Amino acid sequence: MKKYLILCFILAFTLTSVNAQDKDSNHVCKTDPCNHGVKYAPEKGDFTAAMVFGRGAYLNGGLTVPSSYYSVSGDAPYANDVDANNNSITNMVGAEGRYYVSNRFALSLTGGAILRNTPSQLNIPAVTDVNGNVIIQAYDAVVADERADVSFSVGGQWLFNTKNNRLFPYLGVAFPFDYARRSLYDPTVTVDNSGNPTITDLGARHVDITAFGIQAVAGVDYYVAKDVFFGFDIKPVSYTYAASVKSPGPGLLNLEAENNTVSFFAQFSFKLGFKF
């Protein structure tokens, strides 16, 4: 519900600013009765920044950390940013910047990152009396948890004019790169009744996924005001190569897996942006 309210607020703010910006942008000549209209088309040297909504582009399918006790999972990485049945337009997934090196061509950069880190803390066993009654309660260990999700894409876009001076379709190409990591370390040490210790982890267990590819891009921007636009884009063809490396612990062999994904018209996004 909160996402819908935020979207409604953004759209309402955008629409109410249309008339004001258009009027401020008109220029009335002092020497003759001409009235120059608003120019919406991006020009050389312009920069646009946009919020991107849709399905997340973070590639973390198959990101399974090896267990401390059981076999290392054979889950392979896969491009879960391509999904047949789940693509929410209310989900903000990153940001896009474009710089127009000419009136018809722009360089683009899209992406986002999420980094998390939880430091470990050793467990403390309970203190008991000679009868086994707990005097001071035990404290469990804090498991170290490190997570990273990075996704960005660089590319170029060619802009086209239409009969509508607010509507600008474009075609382009993009080169996405994704990196994801999950790392766990459980410092728990237990001692049995015979005094034999059991160490859960000797070091961190982790899995990394690295992916890159190439995408065709087709989209359209519609300027609701001189410097405010919303747009849609889709990837007609997209190829992604992904490789994962699982490490169950220091000194142990890694398990590697890879995946190739080709999609057609399967990635869609909505954008709300501003021109500077």
Side-chain angles (χ1 to χ4, degrees):
M1 183 64 181
K2 184 177 180 180
K3 293 180 179 179
Y4 291 103
L5 291 175
I6 293 174
L7 273 182
C8 290
F9 173 78
I10 293 174
L11 290 175
F13 172 79
T14 301
L15 293 175
T16 54
S17 66
V18 172
N19 291 333
Q21 291 205 28
D22 286 352
K23 291 178 180 178
D24 291 341
S25 301
N26 287 334
H27 171 68
V28 179
C29 299
K30 295 182 178 179
T31 58
D32 57 60
C34 69
N35 185 16
H36 299 286
V38 180
K39 184 175 179 61
Y40 298 97
E43 298 179 326
K44 180 179 179 180
D46 284 348
F47 174 78
T48 65
M51 297 173 287
V52 181
F53 300 85
R55 180 165 179 82
Y58 301 102
L59 192 66
N60 51 26
L63 201 62
T64 306
V65 180
S67 169
S68 298
Y69 304 102
Y70 305 106
S71 59
V72 178
S73 169
D75 291 342
Y78 67 95
N80 63 329
D81 54 340
V82 179
D83 187 276
N85 297 306
N86 183 14
N87 188 24
S88 173
I89 199 172
T90 63
N91 183 40
M92 183 174 175
V93 296
E96 178 194 67
R98 285 182 289 191
Y99 177 75
Y100 285 83
V101 296
S102 73
N103 292 349
R104 292 290 177 267
F105 180 75
L107 297 175
S108 64
L109 175 63
T110 306
I114 302 172
L115 305 174
R116 304 180 191 273
N117 182 43
T118 301
S120 66
Q121 185 167 316
L122 191 66
N123 66 301
I124 301 176
V127 177
T128 60
D129 59 20
V130 293
N131 298 318
N133 298 316
V134 175
I135 299 175
I136 301 176
Q137 66 190 51
Y139 290 80
D140 291 338
V142 176
V143 177
D145 189 340
E146 179 186 339
R147 304 186 179 202
D149 292 281
V150 179
S151 176
F152 68 87
S153 176
V154 296
Q157 297 174 0
W158 288 266
L159 199 70
F160 301 93
N161 286 333
T162 65
K163 294 180 180 179
N164 188 329
N165 67 343
R166 294 174 180 257
L167 190 67
F168 302 97
Y170 58 86
L171 295 175
V173 62
F175 301 92
F177 173 82
D178 300 275
Y179 175 76
R181 177 182 175 88
R182 298 290 185 271
S183 180
L184 296 175
Y185 168 64
D186 188 344
T188 301
V189 177
T190 58
V191 180
D192 61 21
N193 294 331
S194 300
N196 300 314
T198 299
I199 300 174
T200 303
D201 285 332
L202 292 175
R205 299 168 279 121
H206 61 265
V207 53
D208 297 89
I209 293 179
T210 303
F212 57 88
I214 184 171
Q215 299 173 325
V217 182
V220 61
D221 291 336
Y222 183 84
Y223 280 79
V224 295
K226 180 177 180 293
D227 298 318
V228 182
F229 68 92
F230 66 84
F232 304 87
D233 72 25
I234 195 168
K235 309 299 187 297
V237 182
S238 178
Y239 168 75
T240 301
Y241 169 80
S244 68
V245 178
K246 294 185 178 72
S247 175
L252 300 178
L253 293 176
N254 295 335
L255 177 61
E256 300 181 4
E258 56 186 24
N259 172 270
N260 295 276
T261 299
V262 179
S263 63
F264 302 92
F265 297 97
Q267 292 176 278
F268 165 86
S269 62
F270 167 76
K271 295 183 290 185
L272 178 61
F274 304 89
K275 182 176 67 175
F276 301 92

Coordinates of all heavy atoms in Angstrom, one line a residue, residues 123-172:
N123 N 30.1 -17.5 21.0 CA 29.1 -17.9 22.0 C 29.7 -18.0 23.4 O 30.9 -18.2 23.5 CB 28.5 -19.2 21.6 CG 29.5 -20.4 21.6 OD1 30.5 -20.3 20.9 ND2 29.2 -21.4 22.4
I124 N 28.9 -17.9 24.4 CA 29.3 -18.0 25.8 C 28.5 -19.1 26.4 O 27.2 -19.0 26.5 CB 29.1 -16.7 26.6 CG1 29.9 -15.6 25.9 CG2 29.5 -16.9 28.0 CD1 29.7 -14.2 26.5
P125 N 29.1 -20.2 26.9 CA 28.4 -21.3 27.5 C 27.8 -20.9 28.9 O 28.2 -19.9 29.5 CB 29.4 -22.4 27.7 CG 30.7 -21.7 27.7 CD 30.6 -20.5 26.9
A126 N 26.8 -21.6 29.3 CA 26.1 -21.3 30.6 C 27.0 -21.7 31.7 O 27.9 -22.6 31.6 CB 24.8 -22.1 30.7
V127 N 26.9 -21.0 32.8 CA 27.6 -21.4 34.1 C 26.6 -22.1 35.0 O 25.5 -21.6 35.3 CB 28.1 -20.1 34.8 CG1 28.8 -20.5 36.1 CG2 29.1 -19.4 33.9
T128 N 27.0 -23.3 35.4 CA 26.1 -24.1 36.2 C 26.8 -24.5 37.6 O 28.0 -24.4 37.7 CB 25.7 -25.4 35.5 OG1 26.9 -26.2 35.2 CG2 25.0 -25.1 34.2
D129 N 26.0 -24.9 38.6 CA 26.6 -25.4 39.8 C 26.8 -26.9 39.7 O 26.6 -27.5 38.7 CB 25.6 -25.0 41.0 CG 24.2 -25.6 40.8 OD1 24.1 -26.6 40.1 OD2 23.3 -25.1 41.5
V130 N 27.2 -27.5 40.8 CA 27.6 -28.9 40.9 C 26.4 -29.8 40.6 O 26.5 -30.9 40.2 CB 28.2 -29.3 42.2 CG1 29.5 -28.6 42.4 CG2 27.3 -28.9 43.4
N131 N 25.2 -29.3 40.8 CA 24.0 -30.0 40.5 C 23.4 -29.8 39.1 O 22.4 -30.4 38.8 CB 22.9 -29.7 41.6 CG 23.3 -30.0 43.0 OD1 23.9 -31.1 43.2 ND2 23.0 -29.1 43.9
G132 N 24.1 -29.0 38.3 CA 23.7 -28.8 37.0 C 22.7 -27.7 36.8 O 22.1 -27.4 35.7
N133 N 22.4 -26.9 37.9 CA 21.5 -25.8 37.8 C 22.2 -24.6 37.2 O 23.3 -24.3 37.5 CB 21.0 -25.4 39.2 CG 20.2 -26.6 39.8 OD1 19.4 -27.2 39.2 ND2 20.5 -26.8 41.1
V134 N 21.5 -23.9 36.3 CA 22.0 -22.8 35.6 C 22.1 -21.6 36.5 O 21.1 -21.1 37.1 CB 21.2 -22.4 34.3 CG1 21.8 -21.2 33.6 CG2 21.2 -23.6 33.3
I135 N 23.3 -21.1 36.6 CA 23.6 -19.9 37.4 C 23.6 -18.6 36.5 O 22.9 -17.6 36.8 CB 24.9 -19.9 38.2 CG1 24.9 -21.1 39.2 CG2 25.2 -18.6 39.0 CD1 26.2 -21.4 39.9
I136 N 24.3 -18.7 35.4 CA 24.3 -17.7 34.4 C 24.0 -18.3 33.1 O 24.6 -19.3 32.7 CB 25.7 -17.0 34.3 CG1 26.1 -16.4 35.7 CG2 25.7 -15.9 33.2 CD1 27.5 -15.8 35.7
Q137 N 23.0 -17.7 32.4 CA 22.5 -18.3 31.2 C 23.5 -18.2 30.1 O 24.4 -17.4 30.1 CB 21.2 -17.6 30.8 CG 21.4 -16.2 30.4 CD 20.0 -15.5 30.2 OE1 19.2 -15.5 31.0 NE2 19.9 -14.8 29.0
A138 N 23.3 -19.1 29.1 CA 24.2 -19.1 27.9 C 23.9 -18.0 26.9 O 22.7 -17.6 26.9 CB 24.2 -20.5 27.3
Y139 N 24.8 -17.7 26.1 CA 24.6 -16.7 25.1 C 25.0 -17.4 23.7 O 26.2 -17.9 23.6 CB 25.5 -15.4 25.3 CG 25.0 -14.6 26.4 CD1 25.3 -14.9 27.7 CD2 24.2 -13.5 26.2 CE1 24.9 -14.2 28.8 CE2 23.8 -12.7 27.3 CZ 24.1 -13.0 28.6 OH 23.7 -12.3 29.6
D140 N 24.1 -17.4 22.8 CA 24.5 -18.0 21.5 C 25.4 -17.0 20.7 O 25.5 -15.8 21.0 CB 23.2 -18.1 20.6 CG 22.3 -19.3 21.2 OD1 22.8 -20.1 21.9 OD2 21.1 -19.2 20.9
A141 N 26.1 -17.7 19.8 CA 27.0 -16.9 18.9 C 26.2 -16.0 17.9 O 25.1 -16.4 17.6 CB 27.9 -17.8 18.2
V142 N 26.8 -15.0 17.5 CA 26.3 -14.1 16.4 C 27.0 -14.6 15.1 O 28.2 -14.5 15.1 CB 26.5 -12.6 16.6 CG1 26.1 -11.8 15.4 CG2 25.8 -12.2 17.9
V143 N 26.2 -15.1 14.2 CA 26.8 -15.6 13.0 C 27.2 -14.4 12.0 O 26.3 -13.5 11.8 CB 25.8 -16.5 12.2 CG1 26.4 -17.0 10.9 CG2 25.5 -17.7 13.1
A144 N 28.4 -14.4 11.6 CA 28.8 -13.4 10.7 C 28.1 -13.6 9.3 O 28.1 -14.7 8.8 CB 30.3 -13.4 10.4
D145 N 27.5 -12.5 8.8 CA 26.7 -12.5 7.6 C 27.1 -11.4 6.7 O 26.9 -10.2 7.0 CB 25.2 -12.5 8.0 CG 24.3 -12.8 6.8 OD1 24.8 -12.6 5.6 OD2 23.2 -13.1 7.0
E146 N 27.7 -11.7 5.6 CA 28.1 -10.7 4.6 C 27.4 -10.8 3.3 O 27.3 -11.9 2.8 CB 29.6 -10.8 4.4 CG 30.2 -9.7 3.4 CD 31.6 -10.0 3.1 OE1 32.3 -10.6 3.9 OE2 32.1 -9.5 2.0
R147 N 26.8 -9.8 2.8 CA 26.0 -9.8 1.6 C 26.3 -8.6 0.7 O 26.5 -7.5 1.2 CB 24.5 -9.8 1.9 CG 24.1 -11.0 2.9 CD 22.6 -11.1 3.0 NE 22.2 -12.2 3.9 CZ 21.0 -12.7 3.9 NH1 20.1 -12.3 3.1 NH2 20.8 -13.7 4.7
A148 N 26.4 -8.9 -0.6 CA 26.6 -7.9 -1.5 C 25.8 -8.2 -2.8 O 25.8 -9.3 -3.3 CB 28.1 -7.8 -1.9
D149 N 25.1 -7.1 -3.3 CA 24.3 -7.2 -4.5 C 24.7 -6.0 -5.3 O 24.3 -4.9 -4.9 CB 22.8 -7.3 -4.3 CG 22.4 -8.6 -3.6 OD1 22.3 -9.6 -4.3 OD2 22.2 -8.6 -2.4
V150 N 25.3 -6.1 -6.4 CA 25.7 -5.0 -7.3 C 25.3 -5.3 -8.7 O 25.5 -6.4 -9.2 CB 27.3 -4.8 -7.3 CG1 27.7 -3.7 -8.2 CG2 27.8 -4.6 -5.8
S151 N 24.6 -4.3 -9.3 CA 24.2 -4.4 -10.7 C 24.3 -3.1 -11.4 O 23.8 -2.1 -10.9 CB 22.7 -4.9 -10.7 OG 22.2 -4.9 -12.0
F152 N 25.0 -3.1 -12.5 CA 25.0 -1.8 -13.3 C 25.2 -2.2 -14.8 O 25.5 -3.3 -15.2 CB 26.2 -0.9 -12.8 CG 27.5 -1.4 -13.1 CD1 28.2 -1.2 -14.3 CD2 28.2 -2.1 -12.1 CE1 29.5 -1.6 -14.6 CE2 29.5 -2.5 -12.4 CZ 30.1 -2.3 -13.6
S153 N 24.8 -1.2 -15.6 CA 24.8 -1.5 -17.0 C 25.2 -0.2 -17.7 O 24.7 0.9 -17.4 CB 23.4 -1.9 -17.5 OG 23.3 -2.0 -18.9
V154 N 26.1 -0.3 -18.7 CA 26.5 0.9 -19.5 C 26.1 0.6 -21.0 O 26.0 -0.5 -21.4 CB 28.0 1.1 -19.4 CG1 28.5 1.4 -18.0 CG2 28.8 -0.1 -19.9
G155 N 25.8 1.7 -21.7 CA 25.4 1.5 -23.0 C 25.2 2.8 -23.8 O 25.6 3.9 -23.3
G156 N 24.5 2.7 -24.9 CA 24.3 3.9 -25.7 C 22.9 3.8 -26.3 O 22.3 2.7 -26.5
Q157 N 22.2 5.0 -26.5 CA 20.9 5.0 -27.0 C 20.8 6.1 -28.1 O 21.3 7.2 -28.0 CB 19.9 5.4 -25.9 CG 19.9 4.3 -24.8 CD 19.0 4.8 -23.6 OE1 18.4 5.8 -23.6 NE2 18.9 3.9 -22.6
W158 N 20.1 5.7 -29.2 CA 19.8 6.6 -30.3 C 18.4 7.1 -30.3 O 17.4 6.3 -30.2 CB 20.1 5.9 -31.7 CG 21.5 5.6 -31.9 CD1 22.4 6.4 -32.6 CD2 22.3 4.5 -31.5 NE1 23.6 5.9 -32.7 CE2 23.6 4.7 -32.0 CE3 22.0 3.4 -30.7 CZ2 24.6 3.8 -31.7 CZ3 23.0 2.5 -30.5 CH2 24.3 2.7 -30.9
L159 N 18.2 8.4 -30.3 CA 16.9 9.0 -30.1 C 16.3 9.3 -31.5 O 17.0 9.7 -32.4 CB 17.1 10.3 -29.3 CG 15.8 10.9 -28.6 CD1 15.4 10.0 -27.5 CD2 16.1 12.3 -28.1
F160 N 14.9 9.2 -31.6 CA 14.2 9.5 -32.8 C 13.1 10.5 -32.6 O 12.5 10.5 -31.5 CB 13.6 8.2 -33.4 CG 14.6 7.2 -33.7 CD1 14.9 6.2 -32.8 CD2 15.3 7.1 -34.9 CE1 15.8 5.2 -33.0 CE2 16.2 6.1 -35.2 CZ 16.5 5.2 -34.2
N161 N 12.9 11.4 -33.5 CA 11.8 12.4 -33.4 C 10.5 11.8 -34.0 O 10.5 10.9 -34.8 CB 12.1 13.6 -34.2 CG 13.2 14.5 -33.5 OD1 13.3 14.4 -32.3 ND2 13.9 15.2 -34.3
T162 N 9.4 12.3 -33.5 CA 8.1 11.9 -34.0 C 7.3 13.2 -34.3 O 7.7 14.3 -34.1 CB 7.3 11.0 -33.0 OG1 7.0 11.8 -31.8 CG2 8.1 9.8 -32.6
K163 N 6.0 13.0 -34.8 CA 5.2 14.1 -35.1 C 4.8 14.8 -33.8 O 4.4 16.0 -33.7 CB 3.9 13.7 -35.9 CG 4.3 13.2 -37.3 CD 3.0 12.8 -38.0 CE 3.3 12.3 -39.4 NZ 2.1 11.9 -40.1
N164 N 4.8 14.0 -32.7 CA 4.5 14.6 -31.3 C 5.8 15.1 -30.8 O 6.7 14.4 -30.5 CB 3.9 13.5 -30.5 CG 3.4 14.0 -29.1 OD1 3.9 15.0 -28.6 ND2 2.3 13.4 -28.6
N165 N 5.8 16.4 -30.5 CA 7.1 17.0 -30.0 C 7.4 16.7 -28.6 O 8.4 17.2 -28.0 CB 7.1 18.5 -30.2 CG 6.0 19.2 -29.3 OD1 5.1 18.6 -28.8 ND2 6.2 20.5 -29.1
R166 N 6.5 15.9 -27.9 CA 6.8 15.4 -26.5 C 7.3 14.0 -26.5 O 7.8 13.5 -25.5 CB 5.6 15.6 -25.7 CG 5.1 17.0 -25.4 CD 3.8 17.0 -24.7 NE 3.2 18.3 -24.4 CZ 3.3 18.9 -23.2 NH1 3.8 18.3 -22.2 NH2 2.8 20.1 -23.1
L167 N 7.1 13.2 -27.6 CA 7.3 11.8 -27.6 C 8.6 11.5 -28.3 O 8.8 11.9 -29.5 CB 6.1 11.1 -28.3 CG 6.0 9.6 -28.2 CD1 5.8 9.2 -26.8 CD2 4.9 9.1 -29.2
F168 N 9.5 10.7 -27.7 CA 10.8 10.4 -28.2 C 11.1 8.9 -28.0 O 11.6 8.5 -27.0 CB 11.9 11.2 -27.6 CG 11.6 12.7 -27.7 CD1 11.0 13.4 -26.7 CD2 12.0 13.4 -28.9 CE1 10.8 14.8 -26.8 CE2 11.7 14.7 -29.1 CZ 11.1 15.4 -28.0
P169 N 10.9 8.1 -29.1 CA 11.3 6.7 -29.0 C 12.9 6.6 -29.2 O 13.5 7.5 -29.7 CB 10.6 6.0 -30.2 CG 10.4 7.1 -31.1 CD 10.2 8.4 -30.3
Y170 N 13.4 5.5 -28.7 CA 14.9 5.3 -28.8 C 15.2 3.8 -28.9 O 14.4 2.9 -28.5 CB 15.6 5.9 -27.6 CG 15.2 5.4 -26.3 CD1 15.8 4.2 -25.7 CD2 14.3 6.1 -25.5 CE1 15.4 3.8 -24.5 CE2 13.9 5.6 -24.3 CZ 14.5 4.5 -23.7 OH 14.1 4.0 -22.5
L171 N 16.3 3.5 -29.5 CA 16.9 2.2 -29.6 C 18.3 2.2 -29.1 O 19.0 3.3 -29.2 CB 16.9 1.7 -31.1 CG 15.5 1.4 -31.7 CD1 15.7 1.0 -33.2 CD2 14.7 0.3 -31.0
G172 N 18.7 1.1 -28.5 CA 20.1 1.2 -27.9 C 20.6 -0.2 -27.7 O 20.0 -1.2 -28.0

